[in-house]
Amino acid sequence: RLVNLWAVGSARLVRAVGAESLAKATPHFECKRRCRAAHMAVERASKRFMTALEAAASGEEVDRLTGEHIACVQDFQAAQRELHHGRRASLSAALLAAVAPYFEAEDEHRAQLSQVDVAIEQLNIAASAAKVRYHGALRSLEALSEQAHRRRADNNIGVEVASSDHESPAQ
């Protein structure tokens, strides 16, 4: 349903801002997305690094996290350089402002899809846990059933022995 809504909404936005304008501005906005993603990666790497330092992690772990952080910072800096280089291209501020609603709507759509993906993953985890509980309960039920059958069989053997003892003297 979200995909269908996006298809309709994006078609309207494309008509409103123009396909040619979108095509010209797409590399710029994709670069901005990469820059944002790289910035978030730096923040996550920084947090892991600081947490390791506060927890007095091993030297090897700190070295590994330092390398990870350096790589993330380098990726972010490269994305920033690409973004600044792209801004020097022939894209006017008016063109970028005109197509910005399309890319903002696309970002919102991607965020919604991401939330749906997270919800699906959580439901899959819950379903897996429910299956484990179900199979455990089924095994317990089978064990109880087998136990009940054994008791009945043991009681029937005792009844047969007792009834055959009563019949023998009468003959």
Side-chain angles (χ1 to χ4, degrees):
R1 182 173 173 235
L2 271 176
V3 174
N4 290 338
L5 286 173
W6 171 245
V8 171
S10 68
R12 286 185 191 140
L13 285 168
V14 168
R15 282 192 301 273
V17 299
E20 187 177 320
S21 296
L22 279 175
K24 286 180 184 176
T26 295
H28 171 77
F29 282 94
E30 286 177 351
C31 187
K32 280 181 75 171
R33 282 186 189 130
R34 283 192 300 276
C35 202
R36 266 194 314 269
H39 184 261
M40 290 172 56
V42 168
E43 288 179 352
R44 287 189 303 271
S46 295
K47 185 175 181 179
R48 286 190 299 271
F49 178 76
M50 293 305 295
T51 301
L53 287 179
E54 290 169 2
S58 70
E60 290 176 3
E61 180 68 8
V62 171
D63 289 346
R64 186 186 67 75
L65 291 170
T66 299
E68 181 183 310
H69 186 263
I70 288 170
C72 288
V73 169
Q74 288 172 342
D75 290 345
F76 176 62
Q77 288 172 337
Q80 280 186 316
R81 280 191 301 275
E82 183 183 346
L83 182 62
H84 292 301
H85 176 71
R87 284 187 179 158
R88 291 188 215 135
S90 62
L91 297 177
S92 69
L95 172 71
L96 293 176
V99 297
Y102 174 86
F103 291 101
E104 290 166 0
E106 186 177 37
D107 287 344
E108 184 178 321
H109 173 68
R110 287 178 185 210
Q112 289 172 343
L113 286 178
S114 179
Q115 289 173 347
V116 168
D117 288 342
V118 167
I120 288 171
E121 183 61 29
Q122 289 172 343
L123 290 172
N124 284 334
I125 290 169
S128 294
K131 285 179 184 179
V132 167
R133 286 192 310 273
Y134 169 77
H135 288 295
L138 189 59
R139 283 190 297 276
S140 295
L141 187 58
E142 287 173 350
L144 287 173
S145 177
E146 288 175 14
Q147 194 176 45
H149 286 299
R150 276 194 303 272
R151 282 185 189 153
R152 262 189 247 126
D154 290 347
N155 286 342
N156 285 342
I157 290 173
V159 170
E160 288 175 8
V161 169
S163 63
S164 65
D165 287 343
H166 290 300
E167 292 175 6
S168 294
Q171 289 178 354

